[in-house]
């Protein structure tokens, strides 16, 4: 029997207080995610249960019980507090998927500070704009990433501490840098958990938009309510499950469902801190006896590409439930997974801003391959007319996806950018920025984004950020960045550039520019192709028309080009 039982029954009289009750929370109480994910689980008698099984390069492994997670997060929390980190200070977690990332996240929350996880493959420029926006007080990182911090630290007087979790003493640390080793620190048996309330800020996740710098999506401790319940009902986690979320906590899936969801339920999870390979992933599932697997379409398509034979070479019989998020999950991938694993990947749709799942396929529900499913109980979702923001009731008609505000994990603002936050609401709806239709049975069918943001392998990349970075390259005069189709990643970054006088178009220069972006921003943002052009299509006022370049890449009708010189 699945946790959700019947979707229809759950929808009747649904109230979030259901989750509050299960978590023993009442309006006005202290609610601290760090405590809920460790101390409370220990108090419930699961102190010796395994919380985390971690595997790194070269088969290195570590395992932690809930009590060890509790102690270790106390220890990190106490260390930060001793350094002077106070409630609401921003603490950046800039690490690979090592145990310190997961445990540090809880430690930061326990002392009431705001956790700012950032993807460890970010280059110095990506890192800088996010730290600068948040005016981050401390960054917890690894030796291998310190060089990137050193490059920008002089521009960040507010960044008081660079905490290195794996310092080996071989190279001297510099000013503001300090070593901290979880293994050598004296475990702190108890610390005062900061009495955060429902609306106290918890996590700051950065997400990319079409224009402007990345936005800091600010969540609160009350988000736990929806993260807990969606994990329970959609991922169907049960006490004896071994759960694997393949997402990196640098992104929201890796925190909402890679830390908070499973641990607030007291479920064992495993983490693999090694890059993708089909064999590596199947070996992991086989060895760890993974039962519930939450992944992403790009990974599934890569597994599809690796073929059916490699599946047969592994014992994957432990798997009982699969789910996916981050980009459109094409029907072929759902059908294929049912064929080879005996289980369909169930699609879920949500965003950094929504904090928890919004549209989902539930265990036991009829799966329509290619559809994102139906709204989670308590979520009012609709497609809206793009002009009037009125609800469209006609089945099959495409509109903007909108949600009625008010679910617990909804973002509370964009950090320091209330105006942009307010702009996300129209006619009483939160606008997701995506388009979809709804069929006559209430299933949502994704059609695309409503902006120029590129979704490459489930990661959003802002064309604006890449264009700005390209302009910093000595050879680039102008640039326009769009998505180009890709078999596995759906979309990849493509740049059109015009060169400055004195620079010759060449393959060598293309590689140099690509590498420049990879180092400055990240491997995800790196253009997979650079096309040299003599000029870029522009409106009369000089705005580059990405739309035309995009249409060309996707073989779409360009439409009436007489407006080419007009402003949109
Ligand atoms: C955007 C949000 C929260 C998960 C990680 C991504 C796209 C997400 C789906 C899906 C089609 C999807 C949307 C959305 N997206 N899930 N099931 N089908 N598209 O979080 O980085 O904030 O990205 O990812 O475009 O707006 P994010």
């Amino acid at each position: 029997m699945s946790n959700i039982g019947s979707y229809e029954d759950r929808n009747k009289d649904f109230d979030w207080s259901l989750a509050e009750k299960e978590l023993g929370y009442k309006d006005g109480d202290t609610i601290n995610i760090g405590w809920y994910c460790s101390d409370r689980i220990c108090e419930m008698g699961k102190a010796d249960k395994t919380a985390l099984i971690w595997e790194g390069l070269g088969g290195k492994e570590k395992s932690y019980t809930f009590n060890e997670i509790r102690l270790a997060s106390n220890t990190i929390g106490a260390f930060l507090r001793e350094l002077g980190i106070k409630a609401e200070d921003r603490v950046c977690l800039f690490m690979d998927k090592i145990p310190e990332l997961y445990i540090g996240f809880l430690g930061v929350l326990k002392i009431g500070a705001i956790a700012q996880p950032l993807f460890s493959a970010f280059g110095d420029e990506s890192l800088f704009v996010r730290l600068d926006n948040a005016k981050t007080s401390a960054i917890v990182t690894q030796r291998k990433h310190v060089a990137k911090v050193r490059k920008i630290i002089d521009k960040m007087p507010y960044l008081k501490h660079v905490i290195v979790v794996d310092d080996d003493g071989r190279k001297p640390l510099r000013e503001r840098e300090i070593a901290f080793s979880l293994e050598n620190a004296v475990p702190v048996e108890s610390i005062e958990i900061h009495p955060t309330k429902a609306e106290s800020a918890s996590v700051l996740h950065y997400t990319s938009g079409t224009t402007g710098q990345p936005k800091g999506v600010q969540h609160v401790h009350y988000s736990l309510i929806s993260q807990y319940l969606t994990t329970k009902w959609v991922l169907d986690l049960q006490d004896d499950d071994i759960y694997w979320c393949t997402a990196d906590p640098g992104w929201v899936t890796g925190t909402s469902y890679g830390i908070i969801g499973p641990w607030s339920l007291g479920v064992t999870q495993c983490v693999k801190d090694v890059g993708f390979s089909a064999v590596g992933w199947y070996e992991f599932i086989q060895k760890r006896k993974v039962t519930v697997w939450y992944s992403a379409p790009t990974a599934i398509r890569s597994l599809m590409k690796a073929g059916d034979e490699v599946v047969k070479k592994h014992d994957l019989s432990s798997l009982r439930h699969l789910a996916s998020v981050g980009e459109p999950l094409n029907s072929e991938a759902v059908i294929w997974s049912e064929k080879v694993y005996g289980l369909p990947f169930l699609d879920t749709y949500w965003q950094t801003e929504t904090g928890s799942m919004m549209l989902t396929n539930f265990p036991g529900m009829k799966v329509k391959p290619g559809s994102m499913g139906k709204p989670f109980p308590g979520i009012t979702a609709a497609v809206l007319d793009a002009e009037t923001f009125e609800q469209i009731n006609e089945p099959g008609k495409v509109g903007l996806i909108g949600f009625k505000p008010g679910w617990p994990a909804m973002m509370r603002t964009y950090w320091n950018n209330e105006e942009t936050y307010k702009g996300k609401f129209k006619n009483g709806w939160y606008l997701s920025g995506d388009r979809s239709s709804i069929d006559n049975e209430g299933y949502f069918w994704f059609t695309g984004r409503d902006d120029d943001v590129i979704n490459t392998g489930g990661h959003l990349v802002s064309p604006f950020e890449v264009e700005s970075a390209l302009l910093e390259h000595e050879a680039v005069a102008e640039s326009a960045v769009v998505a180009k189709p890709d078999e596995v990643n759906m979309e990849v970054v493509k740049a059109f550039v015009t060169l400055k006088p004195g620079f010759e178009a060449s393959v060598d220069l293309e590689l140099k520019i690509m590498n420049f972006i990879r180092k400055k921003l990240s491997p995800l943002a790196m253009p997979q192709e650079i096309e040299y052009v003599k000029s870029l299509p522009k409106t009369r006022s000089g705005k580059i028309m990405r739309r035309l370049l995009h249409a060309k890449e996707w073989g779409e009708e360009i439409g009436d080009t007489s407006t080419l010189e007009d402003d949109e």
Side-chain angles (χ1 to χ4, degrees), residues 10-44:
R10 293 299 197 184
N11 254 320
K12 277 183 220 144
D13 314 319
F14 176 86
D15 199 286
W16 291 106
S17 64
L18 197 94
E20 293 184 350
K21 266 192 218 108
E22 289 190 18
L23 288 163
Y25 168 82
K26 282 187 316 310
D27 194 22
D29 284 355
T30 287
I31 175 169
N32 186 294
I33 290 175
W35 181 83
Y36 266 101
C37 291
S38 57
D39 300 68
R40 178 169 182 267
I41 305 302
C42 295
E43 285 179 13
M44 289 169 77

Side-chain angles (χ1 to χ4, degrees), residues 207 252-253 325-329 347-353 372 432 434 446 449 455 458 460:
T207 188
V252 73
T253 309
V325 68
E327 353 145 39
L329 180 65
D347 196 12
T348 67
Y349 165 96
W350 56 290
Q351 308 177 296
T352 308
E353 284 88 342
M372 301 188 285
S432 69
D434 290 308
F446 185 83
R449 287 188 62 93
N455 188 337
L460 303 187

Side-chain angles (χ1 to χ4, degrees), residues 4-122:
I4 189 167
S6 143
Y7 174 65
E8 283 69 30
D9 287 353
R10 293 299 197 184
N11 254 320
K12 277 183 220 144
D13 314 319
F14 176 86
D15 199 286
W16 291 106
S17 64
L18 197 94
E20 293 184 350
K21 266 192 218 108
E22 289 190 18
L23 288 163
Y25 168 82
K26 282 187 316 310
D27 194 22
D29 284 355
T30 287
I31 175 169
N32 186 294
I33 290 175
W35 181 83
Y36 266 101
C37 291
S38 57
D39 300 68
R40 178 169 182 267
I41 305 302
C42 295
E43 285 179 13
M44 289 169 77
K46 296 192 198 175
D48 297 327
K49 181 176 175 177
T50 303
L52 175 67
I53 303 164
W54 174 86
E55 202 176 289
L57 271 179
K60 234 196 342 207
E61 52 177 272
K62 288 179 186 171
S63 159
Y64 298 80
T65 63
F66 276 101
N67 193 46
E68 285 165 337
I69 295 284
R70 181 184 71 82
L71 289 172
S73 55
N74 281 352
T75 311
I76 295 185
F79 179 79
L80 291 169
R81 213 174 238 165
E82 198 120 301
L83 284 180
I85 302 297
K86 300 180 306 300
E88 289 175 40
D89 285 350
R90 276 73 63 207
V91 178
C92 173
L93 300 155
F94 189 54
M95 287 170 271
D96 298 352
K97 292 196 274 180
I98 57 172
E100 284 84 348
L101 171 56
Y102 296 77
I103 296 165
F105 180 80
L106 300 187
V108 170
L109 296 180
K110 279 186 173 182
I111 63 165
I114 302 173
Q116 182 192 17
L118 290 178
F119 184 43
S120 66
F122 274 155

